[in-house]
Amino acid sequence: QVHLVESGGGSVQAGGSLRLSCAASGFSYGGYCVGWFRQSPGKEREGVASIYPGGGKTYYADSVEGRFTISYDNAEKTAYLQMDRLEPEDSGMYTCAADEPCVDPDMYGNTWYPYLAQGTQVTVSS
């Protein structure tokens, strides 16, 4: 059973940075991807970024391209989302998620991956 533990998040002023971590365990084989979704009141769920550790492929939503960087430490089985130049519109609940096997690396339709972490709040003030 895949298990995800998320950490990071918090409050920051616009222009600042935050880093989210997601420690993963329980994968059966290497064909999985890990990503983050975010939700905020009045907005639809959005797939923010994902990574396929097996091949290094990454995906970013247009809204975060160039500001967010997703990475994965294979030895630690931990994904990271480095968020720079944060904007108030980036505020929301960020949830780490995993898809095994990875059938949706581009987060098409912003559909939840089947395995979810507990979520962490990110608040960006102007």
Side-chain angles (χ1 to χ4, degrees):
Q1 181 73 9
V2 176
H3 185 58
L4 304 171
V5 179
E6 187 171 6
S7 59
S11 298
V12 67
Q13 288 193 323
S17 299
L18 287 172
R19 190 177 80 158
L20 306 182
S21 301
C22 181
S25 62
F27 291 119
S28 300
Y29 54 95
Y32 58 88
C33 49
V34 182
W36 268 272
F37 294 84
R38 69 183 180 189
Q39 283 182 298
S40 58
K43 293 185 179 180
E44 294 185 357
R45 179 175 62 238
E46 180 180 29
V48 174
S50 72
I51 186 166
Y52 180 65
K57 172 181 167 59
T58 57
Y59 162 83
Y60 295 97
D62 290 343
S63 58
V64 306
E65 181 82 56
R67 299 187 297 118
F68 290 12
T69 304
I70 191 168
S71 60
Y72 190 82
D73 185 323
N74 270 304
E76 298 294 328
K77 292 293 187 285
T78 299
Y80 300 95
L81 184 67
Q82 177 66 40
M83 305 184 292
D84 298 318
R85 290 183 283 140
L86 283 161
E87 303 168 353
E89 292 73 24
D90 295 317
S91 297
M93 179 65 71
Y94 284 67
T95 303
C96 174
D99 192 16
E100 183 187 43
C102 184
V103 297
D104 188 16
D106 294 331
M107 307 180 110
Y108 182 75
N110 299 311
T111 302
W112 282 119
Y113 286 170
Y115 304 104
L116 304 176
Q118 75 277 20
T120 187
Q121 181 68 33
V122 170
T123 302
V124 184
S125 58
S126 57

